[in-house]
Amino acid sequence: MAAELGLSLGRVLVDDSNPLRTAGVESTVADREACWISLGSVERWFIFSGWSMGVQLVSGATQDLGEMARALEAWRNGLRLKEIREVSPFVKVTELAEAHEKGPAEAVAVKWRLLLECLRRDSDRRELAHRTLKVAELAHAEPQLRQLLPFTSH
């Protein structure tokens, strides 16, 4: 399909554990990992996932192989996340992914805000969330800790 559309996906990667259902496309951008697609198990769906430094930046699913090929080429060629979404509207990009694209400081700030919002929303209903919120608020108040990417497991 990529060839029919005049797109270049470079060398296609094969997942040895599931070569008939999963394939990947290498990125030309240093900090982006290969973008992987897999086939739906019941219906014809192409499922898309692109990661960078352990963070999922893009995801999505489409039944249109041409649309998938355009998304893969956009990822491979290093288009910004907003541009990938413009090329392939099925692609999902989270607020945290957009923050990672802007840099580590932005990603940390957004992660803290999202964590605190989630804990505040859940603290009325769950005792554990209430206790976790108190610890998170104390950690967030400390400038040195606020520079670190938060996880509730910490």
Side-chain angles (χ1 to χ4, degrees), residues 21-43:
R21 292 193 56 218
T22 307
V25 173
E26 290 180 317
S27 174
T28 59
V29 178
D31 65 346
R32 284 190 180 174
E33 299 168 21
C35 189
W36 290 90
I37 62 169
S38 57
L39 296 174
S41 60
V42 177
E43 294 182 35

Side-chain angles (χ1 to χ4, degrees), residues 21-96:
R21 292 193 56 218
T22 307
V25 173
E26 290 180 317
S27 174
T28 59
V29 178
D31 65 346
R32 284 190 180 174
E33 299 168 21
C35 189
W36 290 90
I37 62 169
S38 57
L39 296 174
S41 60
V42 177
E43 294 182 35
R44 177 188 160 107
W45 281 96
F46 303 100
I47 303 159
F48 173 80
S49 181
W51 294 69
S52 175
M53 298 183 283
V55 176
Q56 185 177 36
L57 297 183
V58 292
S59 65
T62 181
Q63 292 183 309
D64 183 337
L65 187 54
E67 190 174 46
M68 177 60 70
R70 285 187 286 279
L72 289 168
E73 184 188 52
W75 175 265
R76 180 181 191 284
N77 291 333
L79 269 65
R80 300 193 51 80
L81 300 180
K82 181 180 179 181
E83 296 169 323
I84 294 172
R85 240 189 354 248
E86 290 169 2
V87 168
S88 300
F90 79 92
V91 173
K92 294 176 179 59
V93 177
T94 66
E95 180 183 1
L96 186 56

Side-chain angles (χ1 to χ4, degrees), residues 53 99-111 147-149:
M53 298 183 283
H100 274 281
E101 188 175 53
K102 293 175 185 172
E106 183 72 17
V108 168
V110 167
K111 179 70 173 179
Q147 295 177 33
L148 304 174
L149 192 66

Side-chain angles (χ1 to χ4, degrees), residues 97-134:
E98 288 178 334
H100 274 281
E101 188 175 53
K102 293 175 185 172
E106 183 72 17
V108 168
V110 167
K111 179 70 173 179
W112 270 108
R113 183 179 54 74
L114 293 173
L115 173 66
L116 291 171
E117 285 174 2
C118 179
L119 291 171
R120 286 181 183 125
R121 187 176 51 249
D122 291 348
S123 69
D124 292 343
R125 296 178 286 142
R126 296 186 6 229
E127 180 61 29
L128 179 59
H130 181 72
R131 285 182 281 170
T132 305
L133 172 61
K134 296 301 175 199

